[in-house]
Amino acid sequence: MLRQVELVERVLSYDPQADEDLLNRAYVFTVKTHGSQIRASGDPYFSHPIEVAGILTELKLDTATIITALLHDTIEDTVATHDEIQQIFGSEIATLVDGVTKLSQLELQSDRTKQAENFSKLLVAMSNDIRVLLVKLADRLHNMRTLHFIKKPEKRLRIATETMEIYAPLAERIGIQNFRDELEDLAFVELNNEARRSILRRLEYLRTEGEDLVEKIVSSLKDDLSEAGFQAEVSGREKRPYSIWRKMEKNNVAFEQLSDIIAFRIIVSTVEQCYHVLGNLHAKYAMVPGRFKDYISTPKRNNYRSLHTTIIGPERQRIEVQIRTREMHETNEYGVAAHWQYKQEIGDAVIEGQQYRWLRELLEILEEASDPDEFLEHTKLNMYQDQVFCFSPKGDLISLPAGSSPVDFAYAVHTQVGDTCVGSKVNGRMAPLRTVLHNGDQVEILRSKNQTPSPTWESFVVSGKARSAIRRFIRHQQRDQYVELGQSIAEKAFRTEGKPFTEKALAPVQKVWGLDSIEDVYYSLGDGTHTGRQLLEIVFPGEKKNLDDKDILALKKSKPAKRSKDRHAVPIKGLIPGMAMHLAGCCHPLPGDRIVGIVTTGKGVTIHTIHCDTLEQFAEVPERWLDVSWQTEGHESEQLIGRMNVVMANEPGALSSITSTIAANNGNINNLVISNRSEDFFEMRIDVQVRDVKHLTNIMAALRADPVISSVERATN
């Protein structure tokens, strides 16, 4: 444990203007307030905040941050209060301590929920001052160094998992590589110690076999660069076990196949020299194809900058070489801490500049997530994936997770761009929205103010920001549609009883169902949790309800013309998959068909044709039947699916003839499946995008006129 004088001397060594008196008072305050508290290791508890402060002196952080580290557990674990800290140490330090304090004291449902709550609060705190995160990371690092003292294996496993999933990626995102490497390696001990020991044994074997191989390579590289006139610093560094293990898993290769177990760094004075050194190495040694990465022209999201190349270098060894300037090296090793300027007075503009884009994106995800667990899921997506670099038409660089699509690109530019995306061009050519983007792709997003996010996008987007924005839209849109549908169901239920509808009459329903508002009553009806009959039984207790099996029979026998004008029918509109109303996949109803709705709990209303065989399953639950009608106005351009069973002759050009006929009649084939084939005929099922029944009938008539077609029938089930 650092003694008081040692800690103060460390701070003064890099910041002679530091407030020595305040540092001494903070040291004494933490020792006094933690008193006789003991850690799991048996050490006095105050040794922990002192060691955390010592870790942060390695990053050469300002006095306020060091004092915050000393005091970070006092509010939660001792009798000290926020007001007391503010009175003694000032408002800046009090605010920082409050931000680092373990914030959640709530009784929550699970450890995962508690973890998610705390993490979301940590992000909010560090969005105002990233020093909160620096202290929190140092706190976690020291706790991981002493994790082995905790007796309960399940607790050690939980802490190690949390460290690997959250804190190590956070350290990587703000560029503090040493923190990330050590956090990952300490967590690796708990999560897969057998694999770690195996890698350590292989590393030890390499050291024994190679003896002074690293020194020989470093010496050869220095000589090569000196001959070329470069003054460069060259060093070799062995990668940590977890980093090696991750590469083996990611690339599915054996230990012996890795070329960068030892990375060699060349540090020069200028950016120009970086590229000159690279050219010199490639001229002298064979380069391994596909292993060159230029992070100077396209930095990583944490502002990591360096040239990486793999060569068959001195001693005929395959080695990775990283080339960078001294300034780049400092930023790569210490990240945001390398540029922190709290030692002097700085303006708001500089503070704003320190807020990385990824942090703002995480805060946007926090605003859009419906619950802490969902936020944690999207945040992991955002932090954990490798990158691909793409460009906008104006040349702006956008970094995305590997596997991203144009939709991810659109949301990375701006949420509104993503919400209104209708198409994309990749490298000047039209491309599907689910296209996987690659490094260097130029992406142009096509937009329409009438477009809204499609629920199907969620199946292929990979970035947390895109996924959370899509889910948020679906959640809000779904609720609006359920409420609107529920209101229609309530009004129809009153009409069947011949009673005037008023929202005031629903007050007893709200009370009986235990809901907060009349809107919640509508939502409960719309999503199928309750039915119109149940509502009537509360509003008009004891009265016989009119809807029975006879009504269902009448519904089946009613004429389309009569039913389409029925004022009591609930109109179908806004048929977005996954929302309040769904078109049944068994009978594929189209505008012009006689239809009926079946209310399903939690899924809203599924629309069937009136003669669909599936309806027999609901004959015993008449309260689930809902009279619905097509809303024709304003939806002429909607394309729905009509399904046909086609038998065609097996001869050259037959399939071309079918597709040409469908296209000539403004149909678009959505799917085609050959269900049976023989020497003479093929039987197939064709799904076609059409406007209504009349459109589908016209296409079928045109197909029947084609000599290669034996028969065409609409598939109803």
Side-chain angles (χ1 to χ4, degrees):
M1 183 180 73
L2 280 173
R3 292 184 296 116
Q4 182 175 340
V5 65
E6 291 174 332
L7 179 64
V8 174
E9 284 178 354
R10 276 198 191 183
V11 178
L12 291 174
S13 67
Y14 63 81
D15 182 11
Q17 306 302 317
D19 191 333
E20 187 176 349
D21 178 60
L22 202 62
L23 284 165
N24 283 316
R25 274 193 286 163
Y27 191 103
V28 172
F29 185 87
T30 194
V31 171
K32 181 179 178 181
T33 52
H34 284 293
S36 59
Q37 292 175 352
I38 301 296
R39 302 193 82 223
S41 62
D43 294 330
Y45 191 90
F46 57 74
S47 65
H48 167 65
I50 291 170
E51 289 300 323
V52 171
I55 290 170
L56 293 174
T57 61
E58 297 170 13
L59 300 180
K60 300 182 179 180
L61 290 171
D62 63 299
T63 305
T65 309
I66 304 302
I67 293 175
T68 299
L70 290 170
L71 306 177
H72 76 271
D73 277 337
T74 52
I75 293 178
E76 183 186 20
D77 295 336
T78 75
V79 296
T81 65
H82 179 276
D83 291 341
E84 185 179 3
I85 290 176
Q86 184 169 343
Q87 184 178 357
I88 299 173
F89 300 101
S91 58
E92 180 190 17
I93 291 171
T95 301
L96 287 170
V97 171
D98 193 47
V100 181
T101 300
K102 295 167 186 172
L103 297 163
S104 178
Q105 300 296 330
L106 303 174
E107 288 293 324
L108 297 167
Q109 296 177 353
S110 67
D111 284 341
R112 178 178 171 80
T113 304
K114 185 174 182 179
Q115 176 196 82
E117 287 274 12
N118 279 334
F119 183 47
S120 63
K121 291 176 181 178
L122 170 64
L123 282 181
V124 172
M126 80 183 192
S127 69
N128 296 321
D129 198 323
I130 207 166
R131 289 177 295 177
V132 168
L133 177 58
L134 296 174
V135 177
K136 191 70 176 176
L137 287 174
D139 172 48
R140 177 52 60 113
L141 180 56
H142 186 254
N143 282 333
M144 288 301 296
R145 288 174 178 174
T146 57
L147 184 65
H148 58 283
F149 289 112
I150 295 176
K151 294 180 180 179
K152 292 183 179 179
E154 61 274 13
K155 186 175 181 181
R156 294 199 306 271
L157 182 63
R158 177 181 61 78
I159 293 171
T161 302
E162 185 180 75
T163 299
M164 190 70 84
E165 291 184 348
I166 295 175
Y167 290 98
L170 275 173
E172 194 272 337
R173 272 302 170 88
I174 63 173
I176 308 181
Q177 301 301 324
N178 289 340
F179 275 25
R180 185 206 68 175
D181 291 344
E182 189 174 355
L183 285 169
E184 287 178 340
D185 213 36
L186 290 168
F188 193 35
V189 172
E190 192 63 40
L191 298 175
N192 197 343
N193 198 29
E194 184 178 341
R196 184 177 183 272
R197 285 200 299 264
S198 173
I199 290 172
L200 286 173
R201 285 195 297 269
R202 295 188 186 195
L203 287 173
E204 184 61 35
Y205 175 77
L206 278 183
R207 293 188 203 106
T208 304
E209 288 292 304
E211 295 179 355
D212 57 350
L213 181 63
V214 174
E215 286 77 9
K216 287 181 180 178
I217 293 174
V218 168
S219 179
S220 295
L221 289 174
K222 281 183 177 178
D223 291 342
D224 293 338
L225 295 173
S226 180
E227 287 177 13
F230 294 108
Q231 294 294 320
E233 180 183 325
V234 183
S235 62
R237 183 178 69 96
E238 187 180 90
K239 290 202 169 182
R240 286 182 176 265
Y242 179 73
S243 180
I244 296 171
W245 171 257
R246 183 168 54 191
K247 286 232 172 183
M248 290 169 61
E249 276 200 318
K250 177 184 174 183
N251 300 327
N252 195 27
V253 296
F255 180 89
E256 292 74 19
Q257 293 174 275
L258 294 176
S259 62
D260 55 353
I261 292 172
I262 298 174
F264 292 87
R265 286 180 182 159
I266 298 175
I267 299 177
V268 292
S269 302
T270 66
V271 173
E272 290 78 9
Q273 287 182 354
C274 291
Y275 289 100
H276 289 161
V277 167
L278 176 71
N280 182 266
L281 290 178
H282 283 183
K284 187 174 181 64
Y285 301 106
M287 172 201 172
V288 178
R291 297 285 300 166
F292 169 65
K293 294 177 182 176
D294 185 348
Y295 292 123
I296 293 180
S297 64
T298 55
K300 291 185 179 182
R301 275 194 261 189
N302 59 10
N303 207 32
Y304 176 95
R305 300 173 72 210
S306 183
L307 297 176
H308 289 197
T309 187
T310 301
I311 58 175
I312 308 299
E315 309 298 320
R316 304 301 300 164
Q317 292 287 324
R318 179 170 155 158
I319 60 172
E320 181 184 75
V321 180
Q322 302 169 357
I323 309 167
R324 58 186 66 162
T325 66
R326 170 57 59 185
E327 181 186 357
M328 291 177 196
H329 180 69
E330 292 293 323
T331 301
N332 295 349
E333 292 298 301
Y334 302 111
V336 68
H339 300 295
W340 207 248
Q341 316 219 346
Y342 272 95
K343 297 172 206 150
Q344 298 124 18
E345 290 293 324
I346 58 177
D348 291 341
V350 178
I351 296 175
E352 175 61 24
Q354 297 290 348
Q355 299 218 8
Y356 287 168
R357 175 177 177 171
W358 68 269
L359 177 54
R360 290 195 295 273
E361 289 179 357
L362 292 187
L363 293 173
E364 285 182 35
I365 293 173
L366 175 58
E367 291 174 2
E368 294 176 355
S370 61
D371 58 65
D373 281 353
E374 184 181 323
F375 167 66
L376 193 62
E377 172 196 343
H378 297 327
T379 302
K380 285 181 188 175
L381 283 172
N382 233 37
M383 290 196 302
Y384 236 157
Q385 302 192 29
D386 291 334
Q387 291 175 288
V388 59
F389 298 98
C390 299
F391 296 90
S392 72
K394 294 182 179 179
D396 296 327
L397 178 68
I398 303 291
S399 58
L400 299 162
S404 288
S405 66
V407 176
D408 293 290
F409 182 94
Y411 277 106
V413 173
H414 195 279
T415 301
Q416 192 174 4
V417 175
D419 287 345
T420 56
C421 170
V422 292
S424 67
K425 289 183 178 180
V426 178
N427 300 323
R429 301 183 66 180
M430 292 296 298
L433 288 178
R434 60 171 60 245
T435 301
V436 176
L437 299 177
H438 299 94
N439 274 325
D441 282 346
Q442 185 184 69
V443 184
E444 180 183 352
I445 300 300
L446 308 178
R447 302 171 61 191
S448 168
K449 61 183 179 181
N450 297 320
Q451 172 70 350
T452 57
S454 168
T456 59
W457 291 354
E458 194 183 344
S459 65
F460 60 80
V461 297
V462 299
S463 63
K465 183 178 181 182
R467 187 162 294 180
S468 65
I470 294 165
R471 283 191 182 177
R472 182 190 188 191
F473 170 80
I474 293 172
R475 193 163 54 244
H476 290 178
Q477 187 81 356
Q478 192 175 54
R479 179 172 179 84
D480 291 344
Q481 289 196 15
Y482 277 149
V483 168
E484 187 176 352
L485 175 61
Q487 184 172 357
S488 298
I489 292 172
E491 291 173 355
K492 176 180 178 294
F494 272 73
R495 283 195 297 268
T496 59
E497 290 296 300
K499 307 285 187 181
F501 173 78
T502 62
E503 286 196 345
K504 190 174 181 181
L506 300 181
V509 181
Q510 178 186 333
K511 185 175 181 181
V512 171
W513 290 350
L515 302 173
D516 296 331
S517 65
I518 298 300
E519 187 178 279
D520 289 338
V521 172
Y522 293 149
Y523 183 87
S524 184
L525 289 169
D527 80 343
T529 302
H530 295 96
T531 65
R533 175 174 289 189
Q534 291 171 331
L535 178 140
L536 291 176
E537 287 172 351
I538 297 171
V539 178
F540 307 110
E543 294 188 22
K544 184 180 178 182
K545 307 302 171 289
N546 291 330
L547 183 61
D548 55 23
D549 293 347
K550 292 180 181 179
D551 292 307
I552 294 173
L553 185 61
L555 197 66
K556 287 189 173 185
K557 291 181 177 179
S558 62
K559 295 181 180 180
K562 179 182 176 182
R563 295 186 61 248
S564 65
K565 297 177 182 178
D566 187 358
R567 293 184 299 106
H568 296 181
V570 176
I572 296 176
K573 53 186 176 180
L575 282 166
I576 303 175
M579 296 298 181
M581 289 192 176
H582 319 258
L583 293 180
C586 49
C587 54
H588 290 283
L590 296 170
D593 283 326
R594 296 171 59 200
I595 53 175
V596 66
I598 298 296
V599 182
T600 307
T601 303
K603 293 184 179 179
V605 176
T606 304
I607 309 301
H608 295 264
T609 61
I610 200 67
H611 297 296
C612 179
D613 294 341
T614 307
L615 294 177
E616 298 298 328
Q617 302 174 16
F618 302 97
E620 304 300 322
V621 282
E623 67 273 12
R624 292 289 179 191
W625 291 59
L626 182 67
D627 191 10
V628 292
S629 65
W630 297 105
Q631 176 174 298
T632 56
E633 295 179 3
H635 292 271
E636 295 83 356
S637 62
E638 285 187 0
Q639 295 288 301
L640 305 176
I641 298 299
R643 177 167 289 180
M644 303 178 293
N645 288 327
V646 179
V647 179
M648 74 170 191
N650 181 9
E651 60 182 61
L655 187 58
S656 173
S657 180
I658 288 177
T659 57
S660 297
T661 301
I662 292 174
N665 285 272
N666 298 316
N668 183 40
I669 296 176
N670 182 269
N671 193 22
L672 188 151
V673 177
I674 297 175
S675 55
N676 194 14
R677 68 186 74 195
S678 66
E679 187 175 335
D680 300 324
F681 294 97
F682 278 10
E683 297 177 15
M684 61 182 64
R685 186 180 73 242
I686 304 177
D687 291 345
V688 184
Q689 290 180 340
V690 293
R691 295 184 300 276
D692 50 29
V693 169
K694 184 179 180 180
H695 188 188
L696 179 63
T697 302
N698 290 340
I699 291 174
M700 292 169 63
L703 287 172
R704 289 190 183 105
D706 194 318
V708 301
I709 301 297
S710 174
S711 67
V712 181
E713 301 293 338
R714 183 178 176 189
T716 55
N717 275 90

